[in-house]
Amino acid sequence: MANLDAIPMRCSQCPIRHSAICALCDEDELAKLEQIKSYRSFKAGQTIFARGDDLTYVASIVIGMATLSRTLEDGRRQMVGLLMPSDFIGWPGREQIDFDVTAMSDTTLCCFNRKPFEQMLSATPHLARRLAELTLDELDAARDWMVLLGRKTAREKIATFIDMLSRRTKHPGLTANRYQLTMPMTREQMADNLGLTLETVSRQINGLKKDGVIAFQDRRTVDVLDEGALKTATGD
Amino acid sequence: MANLDAIPMRCSQCPIRHSAICALCDEDELAKLEQIKSYRSFKAGQTIFARGDDLTYVASIVIGMATLSRTLEDGRRQMVGLLMPSDFIGWPGREQIDFDVTAMSDTTLCCFNRKPFEQMLSATPHLARRLAELTLDELDAARDWMVLLGRKTAREKIATFIDMLSRRTKHPGLTANRYQLTMPMTREQMADNLGLTLETVSRQINGLKKDGVIAFQDRRTVDVLDEGALKTATGD
DNA sequence: CGCCGGTTTGACATACTTCAAGAGAAGTGG
DNA sequence: CCACTTCTCTTGAAGTATGTCAAACCGGCG
């Protein structure tokens, strides 16, 4: 499964030191975390947790992207979360996990066994507070996505998706109104994220292209040509 | 707006004492909360917060039901949360609110001005911990609903809705497999909750009735005749 | 080169929406 | 208590966005 002989790294050099669960920790607290942490790496496509698994550990994403999803009996799949560096995987207080967590790209996690982490959590307000903030952010994102899933048209969904990506990833900007973006996923994964089929995703993306809102560098690299048009296309 | 001369009530007699934000508080902590709390009442249909409002206070629902929703420019509306007694309204650390909060039935809130509440929150682990639990529950519910919105058919949405209601409300049971349920909202509100139109809601409800899964006492009182059939109709 | 996963494109099917009308309930005022 | 209005809900007919099925294309990799 996971590649366990991953990079040892000091927390002080960690790329997510100031945005992850540990963001508010002082040096002492960090030292304690350092003692109970371990890294795990996953290849793109690997399962990190499957629905029903025991939540033996919780983790922060250090590098890469992962998805949170659920699949119905007949194969319909819905992504319910897109996890990027500094996002937290885990539900303190829950024994099991009710979704599938899958590495979308090659991913490195900073893991804590759940029990010791929970102990430290209740003893360390800085950790608890940061977890609360992260959870609240997730909740907000989930609710925004509910609006998208329930009420937006396919075209609006695509536009919102691209806009969301641009806000969550550092894009090598061209100019203010134009920028470049790398699609980190297949059309099918986008479809699962947006509650569409992959064919509809493809058609709508190309629709946006025909209308001069975006252009392709290659299939996975998109130039946003008119940010304003994109924003209006989102529907909100 | 709010009816401010609401019932004074001791926390010890409060119906949500053991399930709300204060659930883990001891007598001392409760006494402090008691000092900064106040009650507000809203009539069915009244706005509690509008999108963009300053979050001057946070609150627990004591009696009644409220909804969290967002409306797009052109009037499309999506409910993103259904708030029932003991649910918490408020986002510590946020200055403004990004959704509309509306009383669905006559509702009484237990309110705390945000600033003093936040101070107490950071000084009282019992409060912070409980808030984290409540937030996590909300997040889970939101994610379940994302699956519904993105992937379920109209019929499955209705079945899931009825099933969800039966789990969240105490229903006067008939027998194990049959029970009665009161719909707390109009077809239009259900539609906004499920990402459908009110006509589709009406049709699907009557479809379930024709198939003998449910029956009507009156338009708002439903008998679930076959819980098994209802569960399978939910799709998960 | 030839496979193979990912993507595009077309033709057709359908679930859901939209528009429209009417029937019940429920509230209001005389 | 009865007209009157106003919601709420139901039902029908027609339209449409999106899904389904199928074929072809494209780019990378063994």
Side-chain angles (χ1 to χ4, degrees):
Chain A
M1 277 288 187
N3 171 13
L4 288 161
D5 51 73
I7 339 87
M9 191 203 292
R10 302 297 311 275
C11 285
S12 51
Q13 307 161 321
C14 178
I16 58 169
R17 163 72 179 95
H18 297 289
S19 48
I21 184 82
C22 50
L24 303 175
C25 290
D26 56 36
E27 292 305 314
D28 280 5
E29 292 163 344
L30 212 58
K32 282 188 197 149
L33 275 179
E34 188 114 43
Q35 283 169 22
I36 63 168
K37 86 180 185 192
S38 65
Y39 292 101
R40 279 186 175 80
S41 292
F42 296 84
K43 289 276 168 203
Q46 275 193 304
T47 297
I48 299 174
F49 286 109
R51 185 173 187 191
D53 277 1
D54 277 346
L55 247 191
T56 52
Y57 63 92
V58 299
S60 292
I61 299 202
V62 182
I63 302 168
M65 288 181 71
T67 65
L68 206 62
S69 67
R70 180 172 291 161
T71 305
L72 303 179
E73 316 260 328
D74 58 359
R76 284 174 287 175
R77 181 178 303 138
Q78 178 63 51
M79 243 178 234
V80 298
L82 204 54
L83 305 168
M84 321 235 295
S86 87
D87 285 343
F88 189 75
I89 302 173
W91 293 257
R94 310 254 150 118
E95 296 293 327
Q96 274 144 24
I97 182 167
D98 219 19
F99 296 95
D100 298 312
V101 185
T102 312
M104 192 151 72
S105 58
D106 291 357
T107 300
T108 301
L109 303 183
C110 172
C111 305
F112 310 97
N113 288 323
R114 188 165 61 82
K115 289 292 177 191
F117 181 81
E118 282 177 4
Q119 272 179 306
M120 186 161 170
L121 193 61
S122 50
T124 318
H126 278 163
L127 267 188
R129 143 90 64 125
R130 183 64 188 142
L131 179 60
E133 289 174 2
L134 289 173
T135 309
L136 225 40
D137 289 346
E138 284 289 312
L139 184 54
D140 269 6
R143 283 172 168 162
D144 284 347
W145 220 246
M146 286 171 74
V147 176
L148 174 145
L149 291 171
R151 290 301 182 201
K152 290 194 176 180
T153 65
R155 171 180 249 251
E156 288 169 338
K157 286 179 175 181
I158 297 292
T160 308
F161 178 82
I162 296 174
D163 184 55
M164 178 274 285
L165 262 191
S166 81
R167 268 183 289 106
R168 292 188 65 180
T169 60
K170 280 129 192 120
H171 43 73
L174 279 70
T175 74
N177 193 34
R178 294 160 139 262
Y179 53 83
Q180 210 169 69
L181 204 72
T182 310
M183 296 273 147
M185 49 171 98
T186 67
R187 301 289 122 103
E188 185 175 27
Q189 288 169 324
M190 290 179 62
D192 286 344
N193 197 210
L194 297 170
L196 296 170
T197 59
L198 64 100
E199 292 95 331
T200 303
V201 169
S202 177
R203 279 186 247 267
Q204 295 298 335
I205 287 190
N206 286 301
L208 245 27
K209 183 178 122 198
K210 281 194 189 77
D211 296 349
V213 182
I214 60 174
F216 289 121
Q217 208 76 8
D218 61 69
R219 286 226 189 86
R220 292 298 190 88
T221 315
V222 169
D223 283 351
V224 175
L225 301 178
D226 185 345
E227 174 159 42
L230 185 69
K231 293 271 187 201
T232 39
T234 62
D236 32 39
Chain B
M1 277 286 186
N3 170 13
L4 288 162
D5 51 74
I7 339 89
M9 192 202 293
R10 302 298 310 275
C11 285
S12 52
Q13 307 161 324
C14 178
I16 58 168
R17 162 73 179 97
H18 297 290
S19 48
I21 184 81
C22 52
L24 304 175
C25 290
D26 57 35
E27 291 305 315
D28 280 6
E29 293 163 344
L30 211 58
K32 282 186 195 148
L33 276 179
E34 187 115 42
Q35 283 169 21
I36 63 169
K37 84 178 186 191
S38 66
Y39 292 101
R40 280 186 173 81
S41 292
F42 295 84
K43 289 275 169 204
Q46 273 194 304
T47 298
I48 298 174
F49 288 109
R51 185 174 186 189
D53 277 1
D54 277 345
L55 247 190
T56 52
Y57 62 92
V58 299
S60 292
I61 299 202
V62 182
I63 301 168
M65 287 181 72
T67 65
L68 205 62
S69 66
R70 179 172 292 162
T71 305
L72 303 179
E73 315 261 327
D74 58 1
R76 284 175 286 175
R77 180 176 304 141
Q78 178 63 51
M79 245 181 232
V80 298
L82 204 54
L83 305 168
M84 322 234 295
S86 86
D87 285 342
F88 189 75
I89 302 173
W91 293 255
R94 311 256 150 119
E95 296 292 327
Q96 274 142 25
I97 183 166
D98 216 21
F99 296 93
D100 298 312
V101 185
T102 312
M104 191 151 72
S105 57
D106 292 358
T107 300
T108 300
L109 303 182
C110 173
C111 305
F112 309 97
N113 288 323
R114 188 164 62 82
K115 288 291 178 196
F117 180 81
E118 283 177 4
Q119 271 179 306
M120 188 162 168
L121 193 62
S122 49
T124 318
H126 278 161
L127 267 188
R129 145 90 63 123
R130 182 66 187 140
L131 180 59
E133 289 174 2
L134 289 173
T135 309
L136 225 41
D137 288 346
E138 283 290 313
L139 184 54
D140 269 7
R143 285 173 167 163
D144 283 347
W145 219 245
M146 286 171 74
V147 176
L148 175 145
L149 291 172
R151 290 302 184 200
K152 290 193 177 181
T153 65
R155 170 180 251 249
E156 288 169 337
K157 286 179 175 180
I158 297 291
T160 307
F161 177 81
I162 295 174
D163 185 54
M164 177 274 286
L165 261 191
S166 81
R167 267 183 290 106
R168 291 189 66 180
T169 60
K170 282 130 192 117
H171 42 74
L174 280 70
T175 73
N177 193 35
R178 294 161 138 260
Y179 54 82
Q180 210 169 70
L181 205 70
T182 309
M183 296 272 146
M185 47 172 98
T186 68
R187 301 291 123 103
E188 185 175 27
Q189 288 169 323
M190 289 179 63
D192 287 344
N193 197 211
L194 297 171
L196 296 170
T197 60
L198 65 99
E199 294 94 330
T200 303
V201 169
S202 177
R203 279 186 248 268
Q204 295 298 334
I205 286 189
N206 286 302
L208 245 27
K209 181 179 123 198
K210 279 192 191 76
D211 296 348
V213 182
I214 59 174
F216 288 121
Q217 208 78 8
D218 61 69
R219 283 223 191 96
R220 292 299 190 87
T221 315
V222 169
D223 284 350
V224 175
L225 302 177
D226 185 346
E227 175 159 41
L230 185 69
K231 293 273 185 198
T232 40
T234 61
D236 32 36

